[in-house]
């Protein structure tokens, strides 16, 4: 026997548990728009539920459309950001290429700078070895400056440069060697002429009343230096001999006629009446002087 459909539905409804979450949710949603329990309302319940579902779906679509629009905006912004990132990447690549070029140029300049420093060091060493400083030239050539120990230091440097130029003459720098030697020859001539004239003046002032000669240390260095120029050296030796001879002659005459300082010892001429003592005193004076 076929069961009554209405009875079956009632049986199923009565057997349903009110604790079922899905049933409770459905009833809660139904209570929001089904407020009047009338015959007409019950007949239209299915249509109301379907219309309510349609409205909910339409509302969902509208909200979904908003979300979709936001995603589209986000996508547009992402595309813009991607474009900007690509531009930044291109700029970074360009800057990196320029940096590589700049680093290469920096390395090249640093290498050139190192080469220039080495050349400058070599040039300074060359100039120090083969040229005189301005102060040395002034000391050697200026007549306003006296001959002092620094004069001989500069003269020694000049002689060393003149000798070292011979080493340049056997290399590929012969022209430089000849030019330096020519300039040093000029300075050398002026320096020895200055030294020679200074020695002439010095010779006239070094004799003492007792016939001895007061030779200063600087005078000894001057005589030693003049040995490098034979004509000047011979002339100064003759000048020294002449000064020495005149000094001894004056001292001898004074010893004969005046005696020593304050009359002691007494003049040798006082014993002229005694030939033996007279000649002995003269020989004694000559021995002492020599």
């Amino acid at each position: 026997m076929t069961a009554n459909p209405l009875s079956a539905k009632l049986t199923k409804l009565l057997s349903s548990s009110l604790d079922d979450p899905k049933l409770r949710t459905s009833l809660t949603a139904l209570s929001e728009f089904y407020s009047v329990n009338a015959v007409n309302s019950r007949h239209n319940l299915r249509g109301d539920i379907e219309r309510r579902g349609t409205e909910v779906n339409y509302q969902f679509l509208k909200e979904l459309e908003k979300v979709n629009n936001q995603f589209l905006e986000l996508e547009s912004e992402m595309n813009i950001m991607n474009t900007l990132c690509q531009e930044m990447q291109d700029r970074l690549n360009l800057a990196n290429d320029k940096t590589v070029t700049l680093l290469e140029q920096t390395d090249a300049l640093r290498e050139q700078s190192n080469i220039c420093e080495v050349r400058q060091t070599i040039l300074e060493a060359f100039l120090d070895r083969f040229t005189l400083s301005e102060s040395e030239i002034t000391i050697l050539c200026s007549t306003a400056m006296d001959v002092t120990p620094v004069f001989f230091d500069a003269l020694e440097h000049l002689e060393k440069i003149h000798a070292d130029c011979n080493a340049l003459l056997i290399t590929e720098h012969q022209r430089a060697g000849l030019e330096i030697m020519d300039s040093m020859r000029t300075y050398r001539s002026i320096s020895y002429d200055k030294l020679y004239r200074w020695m002439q003046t010095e010779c006239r002032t070094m004799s003492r009343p007792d016939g001895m000669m007061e030779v200063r240390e600087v005078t000894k260095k001057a005589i030693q230096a003049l040995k490098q120029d034979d004509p000047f050296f011979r002339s100064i030796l003759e000048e020294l001999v002449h000064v020495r001879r005149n000094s001894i002659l004056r001292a001898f005459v004074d010893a004969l006629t005046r005696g020593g300082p304050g009359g002691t010892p007494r003049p040798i001429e006082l014993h002229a009446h005694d030939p033996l003592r007279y000649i002995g005193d003269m020989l004694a004076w000559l021995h002492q002087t020599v």
Side-chain angles (χ1 to χ4, degrees), residues 15-139:
S15 63
S16 298
S17 176
L18 295 179
D19 294 332
D20 187 0
K22 293 182 178 179
L23 179 60
R24 296 181 63 180
T25 302
S26 298
L27 293 175
T28 302
L30 181 63
S31 64
E32 293 179 357
F33 64 91
Y34 188 78
S35 58
V36 179
N37 186 12
V39 176
N40 188 34
S41 297
R42 288 196 298 272
H43 282 296
N44 297 328
L45 179 59
R46 180 184 292 274
D48 292 339
I49 293 174
E50 291 178 354
R51 186 168 51 256
R52 179 66 177 175
T54 301
E55 292 177 355
V56 170
N57 290 334
Y58 179 74
Q59 186 68 28
F60 177 75
L61 287 175
K62 289 181 65 177
E63 296 297 328
L64 188 61
E65 183 179 4
K66 293 180 181 179
V67 174
N68 183 60
N69 291 336
Q70 291 178 352
F71 272 109
L72 291 176
E73 292 178 1
L74 180 61
E75 182 182 10
S76 177
E77 292 179 357
M78 290 294 293
N79 291 332
I80 294 173
M81 290 181 63
N82 184 54
T83 302
L84 293 175
C85 289
Q86 187 61 41
E87 291 179 357
M88 292 180 65
Q89 183 65 39
D90 294 340
R91 292 180 181 178
L92 287 174
N93 292 335
L94 180 60
N96 184 55
D97 294 338
K98 291 182 178 179
T99 302
V100 172
T101 304
L102 181 61
L103 290 175
E104 292 176 352
Q105 293 176 351
T106 302
D107 293 336
L109 290 174
R110 184 181 294 109
E111 184 176 357
Q112 292 180 3
S113 177
N114 293 334
I115 294 174
C116 289
E117 289 180 358
V118 173
R119 289 179 177 176
Q120 182 179 1
T121 302
I122 296 174
L123 180 60
E124 290 176 352
F126 180 86
L127 292 176
D128 182 65
R129 181 173 180 179
F130 291 101
T131 60
L132 294 171
S133 65
E134 291 296 329
S135 60
E136 288 176 326
I137 294 174
T138 302
I139 291 171

Side-chain angles (χ1 to χ4, degrees), residues 250-266:
R250 287 195 301 271
F252 182 68
V253 172
D254 289 341
L256 286 174
T257 59
R258 298 181 180 180
T264 303
R266 301 175 67 186

